[in-house]
Amino acid sequence: MRRLFIISLLALLNFNLWAQNTMTVHTENYNDEYLISDTDSMYFNEDSDVIYFQLINDLVSYYTDDIDSVSFDISTDNTIFISYDQQSVNIINPMEDLGVNIEVNGADVTVTTEADTKDINYVLSGNTEEGMFKIYSDKRFNLLLNGVDIYNSDWPAINIQSEKKCRLNLVYGSTNILTDGTDYAAAAVNANNEEEDQKATLFSEGDLEFIGGGSLTVNSLGSDQHAIRSDDELIISEGNILINSAAKDGLHGKNGFFMSGGDVSIEAVGGDGIDAGNDILKMLAGVLDITSTQNDVKAMKSDTSMYLLGGSIHLNIQGDQSKGISSDYELIIDNMEINIETSGDAVLEPSGSGYDASYCTAIDGGTEISISNALIEIESNGEAGRGFSCDGNMLIENADILITNTGDGDLYTNEDGDDDAYHGTCFNVDGDMEILSGNIELSNSGDGGKGISIDGNLNIGDDTNIPNVNVTTTGSSIVIQQGGGGGGPGGGSGDYDEAKAITCDSEVTINNGEIIIESADDGIKADEAITIENGNLQVLGSVEALEAPYITVNNGNLELHSEDDGFNATFGDGGEGNDGSLLQINGGYTMINAIGGDAVDSNGDFEINGGELIVHGPQSAPEVGMDVNGDKLIDGGFLIISGTSSNMTEGASSSSNQNSLLLRTTQALSANTLIHIEDNEGNQIVTFAPLRSYYSIIFSSSNLQNGISYNVYTGGTCTGDEENGLYQGGTFSGGSLETSFTISQTVTTVWF
């Protein structure tokens, strides 16, 4: 009986009448009071011994046996019922004598209220194939859609001509439909002799907030109308909203858009999906699903800032040069799940003496993009599509980001009238970029496509944060100007837009992280500097692994595989003179596997002061294991480099502070043939197996001492632990003694 009594009382909640109406739960020890307007629904557990009240922002529960009674303070005097019945309307208006005037013309309803009462409830229900609801109010009010279906061929289905806030309740369990016609009739003229706005199928001059657990479908057919528009703030707190069509925006809030719950689906709109107008766009919770098919529109747009702080978003962007998420100022993403698919192409727009490329972009930010605690997946398939584009600085912290780009770039004439190329990128940042923590996985298979392209500085990780960054590019180079003499990507003359993994106009600093790169061209290229402070960097495939004027390795573990140079310190001017660049190794562990280029290449100086450098150089001249135009200073650390026999083959500079060897042979030793050096007491100094055939070995270690005799063996086997061709410990046996020598100077050249 107690359960039946509670159910009968709570049946009133299904109608959810408002104003200051309250519900009080009475128990033996206390009374709890709730606004009915804040109470969405109630339900029992399976055993019916616990009752739950679902509030807007909370869920409360009671044991059924603890409840003495539930009472309601309900006044229906401020509730007006409007029920559509095709061509007619039934009205219940208890406030007629208090200043609420309702005019009815067929199924067109116009409410004008002069009542000095806030939160009057207007309940709409029923169906009409030619009707409307319009309201004028000087006080805030509540509009309840309780199973209403309105079609109006001449004007908005609902037209709120009030600058006061309207709280629109989609009554729990109700299904509501609003539809307008293609061509609107002339707008009414207000008291100021001005035409009234009729900008949307559902239009409001004031704040418009959606609550309730029901659903609303909007079929916006007007030739120049939005689906839902507020000329103030548009707020989605609850409800299921489906926008089936609109000539312009799906949801438009002139002074901002705010979402804290609900489920919104938008498709087939001619404008933006959601436009926050002159103010911010903020999302705290809820689900957004937007399909955008038009060219040059945005699924989510803010002319100021955008804050995506909770909920989930799915966007399908099909229009050329269209954007998924677009903010002109800061874009903050936190605690979000975002999935975006783009298939629109880049567009060439006339500019200057040529064109400027405008890209279809999943997420486009203005002064700043900050991402934390987020899961973001982007798939871009259109020509030269972009994942992220940021006009300012970008920060990523504790986020999982997966971006796949497949669209090719192409040739065009730029605004200066020069031949150029445009291409897709996973990240394109005009300012600085910091990847502090999280998991970043980028793949770009488009011609000329980039993984990360930065105009400012790129910083990865710090002392305590270890991000995982995986970048793959597989696209072909775009030929802008064919070079002569065999020039092409990776060297020589000509001009090419190459598919680089990471490219930076300033400095790249890796402070920490697990970084894996596979690139169709450069692994990391920076116009100013590359600095490795710590972390693990693997360049598993590249033309050139690392290229910058200044390359510094202070610590960390590097594994570099390249078709051309492993390290290339250069200002890019070419030639055999010292251009002032510097390759410096102060610590860490570096292995280089260079198939056909200079494994260690500096157009300036090369210094090694500490750490380990193991290099498998090329097997064919004129490329060598170490090619340095300036000084080659070995002042510490461990270095071994296999290479060719070439007039470019040379050892360290005599001004070095640590002894080194240049071992040369007149007959090539085959790949994986051991070279073993031990002192005259049989102590192993080094045992190394180059990956390719070799004519030369450059070796330096603090174990090389003046006045000590050493023996050089080739072939044989070693039982020690092998890593990257270098053996540690164990026993060497079976080799052939090639020569013996004694060190008497800093640089010793030995032929055998």
Side-chain angles (χ1 to χ4, degrees):
M1 289 296 295
R2 181 184 297 271
R3 181 173 183 270
L4 291 175
F5 171 72
I6 294 173
I7 290 175
S8 64
L9 288 174
L10 292 174
L12 291 169
L13 289 179
N14 290 332
F15 206 69
N16 210 1
L17 301 180
W18 287 6
Q20 299 303 316
N21 299 333
T22 60
M23 173 186 69
T24 303
V25 179
H26 303 274
T27 68
E28 181 178 354
N29 298 318
Y30 52 83
N31 298 321
D32 291 336
E33 185 176 282
Y34 306 99
L35 287 175
I36 293 178
S37 60
D38 288 342
T39 308
D40 183 83
S41 60
M42 58 75 61
Y43 56 92
F44 293 90
N45 67 350
E46 290 184 358
D47 297 328
S48 298
D49 57 356
V50 177
I51 183 172
Y52 297 91
F53 295 91
Q54 178 64 65
L55 308 178
I56 289 178
N57 296 312
D58 198 8
L59 178 68
V60 296
S61 63
Y62 297 88
Y63 286 107
T64 307
D65 289 342
D66 290 343
I67 298 177
D68 290 335
S69 62
V70 179
S71 63
F72 297 86
D73 176 15
I74 297 177
S75 170
T76 59
D77 290 343
N78 67 337
T79 300
I80 297 168
F81 297 89
I82 301 170
S83 178
Y84 293 88
D85 186 5
Q86 296 302 331
Q87 302 301 317
S88 63
V89 183
N90 298 314
I91 306 289
I92 299 176
N93 181 10
M95 300 192 69
E96 184 174 4
D97 294 337
L98 297 177
V100 178
N101 179 57
I102 301 178
E103 295 182 5
V104 178
N105 182 10
D108 292 344
V109 177
T110 302
V111 177
T112 304
T113 176
E114 298 176 356
D116 190 22
T117 304
K118 295 179 180 179
D119 296 320
I120 296 176
N121 303 310
Y122 300 90
V123 182
L124 307 186
S125 61
N127 304 308
T128 177
E129 295 180 359
E130 190 60 66
M132 70 168 189
F133 177 82
K134 181 190 284 190
I135 183 169
Y136 302 87
S137 177
D138 293 332
K139 304 292 182 181
R140 73 186 187 204
F141 63 95
N142 307 309
L143 183 60
L144 292 81
L145 305 189
N146 188 31
V148 67
D149 185 344
I150 299 176
Y151 171 77
N152 187 349
S153 63
D154 296 326
W155 297 294
I158 294 179
N159 190 346
I160 301 171
Q161 288 294 313
S162 171
E163 295 182 357
K164 300 301 180 180
K165 181 174 182 178
C166 170
R167 206 174 187 204
L168 194 151
N169 183 2
L170 303 175
V171 174
Y172 184 81
S174 68
T175 299
N176 306 280
I177 302 173
L178 301 177
T179 309
D180 60 0
T182 304
D183 299 316
Y184 276 31
V189 177
N190 60 26
N192 297 322
N193 202 31
E194 298 173 338
E195 286 191 351
E196 294 177 349
D197 290 330
Q198 45 185 25
K199 302 173 181 176
T201 308
L202 169 52
F203 174 73
S204 176
E205 288 282 2
D207 291 350
L208 181 61
E209 179 182 8
F210 287 84
I211 69 165
S215 69
L216 172 64
T217 298
V218 179
N219 305 303
S220 183
L221 307 178
S223 59
D224 193 36
Q225 273 66 40
H226 306 283
I228 300 175
R229 173 175 173 131
S230 166
D231 268 358
D232 209 319
E233 295 180 356
L234 181 57
I235 305 163
I236 311 293
S237 297
E238 294 178 300
N240 298 289
I241 300 174
L242 170 62
I243 308 296
N244 273 331
S245 60
K248 298 179 76 172
D249 301 340
L251 299 174
H252 187 108
K254 183 178 179 181
N255 291 330
F257 175 86
F258 305 88
M259 185 170 180
S260 59
D263 191 326
V264 176
S265 180
I266 301 173
E267 57 186 37
V269 296
D272 302 322
I274 298 174
D275 189 340
N278 303 320
D279 214 318
I280 67 172
L281 189 156
K282 180 182 287 188
M283 181 175 179
L284 301 176
V287 178
L288 275 176
D289 192 322
I290 302 175
T291 298
S292 176
T293 61
Q294 299 299 310
N295 295 336
D296 197 20
V297 297
K298 286 88 174 174
M300 301 174 65
K301 174 180 178 288
S302 172
D303 291 339
T304 58
S305 299
M306 188 180 300
Y307 305 96
L308 305 178
L309 307 178
S312 65
I313 295 172
H314 176 257
L315 308 178
N316 187 336
I317 312 301
Q318 301 173 18
D320 295 345
Q321 76 184 92
S322 289
K323 310 295 186 287
I325 296 171
S326 180
S327 173
D328 284 354
Y329 290 90
E330 66 177 351
L331 170 60
I332 309 299
I333 301 174
D334 184 24
N335 194 33
M336 293 291 302
E337 290 188 10
I338 299 176
N339 179 278
I340 303 177
E341 303 163 19
T342 69
S343 55
D345 295 335
V347 172
L348 298 180
E349 298 182 326
S351 177
S353 299
Y355 299 89
D356 184 29
S358 179
Y359 301 89
C360 180
T361 306
I363 300 179
D364 185 29
T367 58
E368 173 190 357
I369 296 179
S370 177
I371 303 172
S372 57
N373 306 307
L375 171 62
I376 301 175
E377 297 183 356
I378 297 173
E379 182 176 343
S380 174
N381 297 315
E383 182 185 52
R386 290 185 170 181
F388 281 86
S389 183
C390 180
D391 295 338
N393 300 327
M394 185 168 185
L395 169 66
I396 299 173
E397 184 175 8
N398 193 31
D400 293 336
I401 300 177
L402 172 64
I403 304 176
T404 303
N405 284 34
T406 62
D408 293 334
D410 207 345
L411 290 170
Y412 79 113
T413 302
N414 64 28
E415 59 187 5
D416 295 325
D418 300 326
D419 291 338
D420 207 339
Y422 60 91
H423 55 258
T425 57
C426 297
F427 284 106
N428 191 86
V429 180
D430 290 347
D432 297 335
M433 182 177 185
E434 183 173 12
I435 302 174
L436 193 59
S437 58
N439 301 291
I440 314 299
E441 187 169 346
L442 313 176
S443 174
N444 196 330
S445 59
D447 291 350
K450 310 295 188 290
I452 300 175
S453 180
I454 309 293
D455 287 353
N457 299 311
L458 173 62
N459 291 279
I460 300 177
D462 62 18
D463 291 341
T464 58
N465 291 288
I466 305 174
N468 295 296
V469 180
N470 191 327
V471 185
T472 301
T473 63
T474 57
S476 300
S477 296
I478 301 172
V479 180
I480 300 173
Q481 182 178 352
Q482 183 70 53
S493 59
D495 189 9
Y496 304 85
D497 187 15
E498 299 134 342
K500 304 179 190 300
I502 298 176
T503 178
C504 177
D505 289 350
S506 188
E507 300 182 11
V508 174
T509 303
I510 298 176
N511 298 297
N512 216 332
E514 300 287 338
I515 301 159
I516 300 175
I517 292 173
E518 293 188 67
S519 179
D521 196 75
D522 292 343
I524 303 176
K525 181 175 181 178
D527 287 353
E528 294 185 7
I530 298 173
T531 304
I532 313 296
E533 297 288 355
N534 210 336
N536 298 315
L537 170 62
Q538 293 178 283
V539 180
L540 301 180
S542 66
V543 175
E544 292 189 339
L546 305 183
E547 179 180 330
Y550 301 98
I551 301 175
T552 305
V553 179
N554 291 320
N555 205 344
N557 295 287
L558 284 72
E559 180 183 344
L560 310 180
H561 298 263
S562 64
E563 297 176 12
D564 196 353
D565 301 341
F567 286 128
N568 185 14
T570 178
F571 280 95
D573 299 328
E576 298 302 322
N578 188 336
D579 69 356
S581 55
L582 173 64
L583 169 61
Q584 185 180 73
I585 299 177
N586 300 314
Y589 176 93
T590 301
M591 189 285 295
I592 300 176
N593 175 14
I595 296 174
D598 301 326
V600 176
D601 191 342
S602 176
N603 287 354
D605 297 332
F606 168 54
E607 299 177 4
I608 178 168
N609 301 304
E612 295 182 70
L613 177 60
I614 296 94
V615 177
H616 298 272
Q619 64 183 13
S620 301
E623 310 300 339
V624 292
M626 180 175 69
D627 181 11
V628 178
N629 292 354
D631 292 331
K632 300 169 285 294
L633 300 177
I634 302 177
D635 293 339
F638 177 95
L639 174 149
I640 190 162
I641 302 173
S642 65
T644 60
S645 178
S646 166
N647 59 359
M648 301 290 291
T649 302
E650 53 187 350
S653 297
S654 59
S655 55
S656 299
N657 292 317
Q658 179 172 285
N659 291 335
S660 65
L661 304 176
L662 172 58
L663 306 177
R664 305 190 66 172
T665 178
T666 57
Q667 184 174 357
L669 297 169
S670 59
N672 297 308
T673 299
L674 294 182
I675 185 161
H676 172 80
I677 302 175
E678 61 183 42
D679 63 18
N680 54 10
E681 296 182 357
N683 297 311
Q684 176 180 277
I685 304 300
V686 68
T687 303
F688 182 53
L691 289 173
R692 283 172 286 280
S693 63
Y694 61 101
Y695 284 88
S696 62
I697 294 289
I698 302 169
F699 172 64
S700 180
S701 166
S702 59
N703 292 328
L704 293 175
Q705 300 294 318
N706 288 344
I708 303 296
S709 296
Y710 298 92
N711 300 319
V712 178
Y713 294 83
T714 59
T717 60
C718 183
T719 61
D721 295 329
E722 182 268 338
E723 182 179 7
N724 293 318
L726 185 66
Y727 288 81
Q728 301 290 339
T731 301
F732 173 80
S733 61
S736 300
L737 177 64
E738 299 291 351
T739 187
S740 299
F741 64 92
T742 301
I743 292 180
S744 60
Q745 54 190 1
T746 302
V747 180
T748 302
T749 300
V750 178
W751 285 88
F752 62 92

